[in-house]
Amino acid sequence: MKNKPVNTDGAAVVSVSSVVGKKEYDGPLGEKFDVHDETDRFGQKTFELSESEMQREAMSLTLGKAGLSAADIGAVFAGDLLNQCVGSAYGLIEYDVPYFGLYGACSTAAEGLTLAAMLTSKGIYDRCMSVTSSHNASAERQYRNPLEYGGQRPPTAQWTVTGSGAYLVEGGYGKNSAEHSDGLSPMAYITEVMPGIVVQKGVTDLTNMGAAMAPAAVESLLGYFDSTGTGPDDFDLIITGDLGFEGTSILREILAVSGKDPGDRLTDCGMLIYDRYGQDVHSGGSGCGCSSVVLAAHFLPMLKSGELNDVLFLGTGAMSSPAATRQGQVIPGVAHLLRLMSPAAYERGAKR
């Protein structure tokens, strides 16, 4: 049985924060991020601890913006690229909140938001948080070579984002309830989610994550269109995160052949966060922090203001493992899909 959308009416994103490094701040979206560190260290001795500190700060900022404390949160879904998600565990250890560690590679933010929306929309928790991070130096050390090695990167390679995004998702919203009983106003409603299916098409190249993830994005998008009777023209944007330039090109070509040409409605977080040529990032950005900080700092404010009204967001992840890759195994991909609506569109009853 193919995956199908799950109705998550009543769930809304009410507070977000983004914490990034120097390269991200120097990129096209730099001024939109909440916090940046010129050293990428965030006051810590190691890159791994720096990643944990980014998560701690992102969660603290998000709670502060909402005027809430950890005691108000039912559960937190957190993940990163490090072995056993230690970046998340150490980063959030001071918060007395039920903790679920997730590994979805670059799709982790979407995975956390999916779980948060399902649980809050059904009233299991009043509020949940999704927190994710990645760090360029820690990711390179784990998956490829330490930065000091100075290895050459092919054109298909992506640059792991140093960043962390945190989201607060609250349930209990409905039509004509732009403000919740606790006084928080939605930035966007999560009206539907569709967890992804693991897909592989024979890609074994660790330096071409876009090619590994694109088939999963195709699977989720075409599955959603088929289940809902919609197509690209029904949405303001289809946002992927993060296929980069290589993966987006593959996705665009397959969708066109399938009769679902997205035209100028398709965009990607990995293509937006850096200046491709000015910052020498080859095929764009990647990592758990990439789509997380771009969605939080760039797209959600556009939904809140009504500049965007109805979008699909796909978190795409290459589920690679250094050990499996050394053994010649293929790299599976997954793409979790969320439908996000602006408060104005939702109040108008635009949900199909």
Side-chain angles (χ1 to χ4, degrees):
M1 178 179 174
K2 294 289 185 180
N3 55 340
K4 293 184 177 180
V6 176
N7 185 301
T8 53
D9 256 356
V13 180
V14 297
S15 181
V16 299
S17 292
S18 54
V19 178
V20 300
K22 174 177 171 52
K23 195 178 189 78
E24 294 69 29
Y25 179 74
D26 289 343
L29 306 180
E31 295 296 333
K32 297 185 178 185
F33 301 123
D34 290 303
V35 173
H36 76 282
D37 188 304
E38 290 286 324
T39 69
D40 289 355
R41 291 282 189 166
F42 296 89
Q44 304 301 309
K45 293 182 178 180
T46 69
F47 295 123
E48 288 76 13
L49 288 175
S50 302
E51 189 165 341
S52 296
E53 177 60 19
M54 285 192 294
Q55 284 212 22
R56 187 204 66 77
E57 188 158 2
M59 183 162 174
S60 176
L61 282 169
T62 301
L63 287 171
K65 288 181 181 181
L68 299 175
S69 69
D72 298 306
I73 307 303
V76 58
F77 301 97
D80 53 75
L81 294 177
L82 302 178
N83 287 332
Q84 291 78 52
C85 295
V86 295
S88 304
Y90 283 106
L92 306 182
I93 198 169
E94 71 177 57
Y95 295 104
D96 189 19
V97 179
Y99 166 89
F100 294 87
L102 305 180
Y103 183 79
C106 301
S107 71
T108 304
E111 183 179 358
L113 283 169
T114 295
L115 293 168
M118 288 194 291
L119 290 168
T120 57
S121 68
K122 308 308 177 189
I124 297 173
Y125 289 117
D126 292 331
R127 304 180 191 89
C128 289
M129 292 193 68
S130 171
V131 187
T132 58
S133 67
S134 56
H135 195 294
N136 182 266
S138 63
E140 289 299 312
R141 176 153 56 197
Q142 177 163 304
Y143 287 98
R144 285 169 283 270
N145 296 294
L147 298 180
E148 296 85 352
Y149 180 78
Q152 296 298 303
R153 300 166 59 246
T156 57
Q158 293 172 246
W159 188 276
T160 303
V161 165
T162 296
S164 176
Y167 300 80
L168 174 60
V169 178
E170 189 170 64
Y173 289 88
K175 296 292 192 303
N176 303 315
S177 63
E179 188 172 277
H180 199 267
S181 58
D182 59 14
L184 296 177
S185 299
M187 298 183 71
Y189 291 90
I190 306 174
T191 62
E192 289 176 311
V193 298
M194 194 172 81
I197 292 173
V198 176
V199 177
Q200 69 84 13
K201 295 297 180 181
V203 177
T204 59
D205 184 359
L206 266 178
T207 64
N208 195 348
M209 297 289 97
M213 295 185 285
V218 171
E219 174 80 22
S220 292
L221 265 179
L222 293 183
Y224 181 82
F225 292 151
D226 182 62
S227 295
T228 60
T230 60
D233 292 346
D234 293 303
F235 303 96
D236 297 330
L237 280 180
I238 298 169
I239 305 161
T240 56
D242 22 75
L243 297 176
F245 290 91
E246 178 75 7
T248 300
S249 175
I250 295 170
L251 173 59
R252 185 180 295 280
E253 184 174 342
I254 297 175
L255 289 177
V257 170
S258 303
K260 299 291 184 180
D261 189 341
D264 60 2
R265 286 179 168 81
L266 180 63
T267 189
D268 180 76
C269 297
M271 293 167 55
L272 298 175
I273 192 166
Y274 298 124
D275 178 338
R276 184 183 188 184
Y277 301 106
Q279 295 184 287
D280 188 26
V281 293
H282 294 24
S283 192
S286 67
C288 297
C290 182
S291 62
S292 186
V293 299
V294 174
L295 178 64
H298 182 57
F299 289 116
L300 279 173
M302 294 172 73
L303 282 159
K304 183 178 181 180
S305 69
E307 186 176 349
L308 293 173
N309 283 302
D310 197 352
V311 305
L312 296 181
F313 172 66
L314 285 88
T316 56
M319 311 295 284
S320 61
S321 157
T325 302
R326 286 194 293 269
Q327 294 166 9
Q329 296 295 311
V330 298
I331 302 172
V334 69
H336 302 296
L337 181 150
L338 298 92
R339 184 176 178 185
L340 304 171
M341 299 187 71
S342 70
Y346 187 79
E347 291 298 323
R348 289 197 302 267
K351 185 179 183 302
R352 298 175 183 85

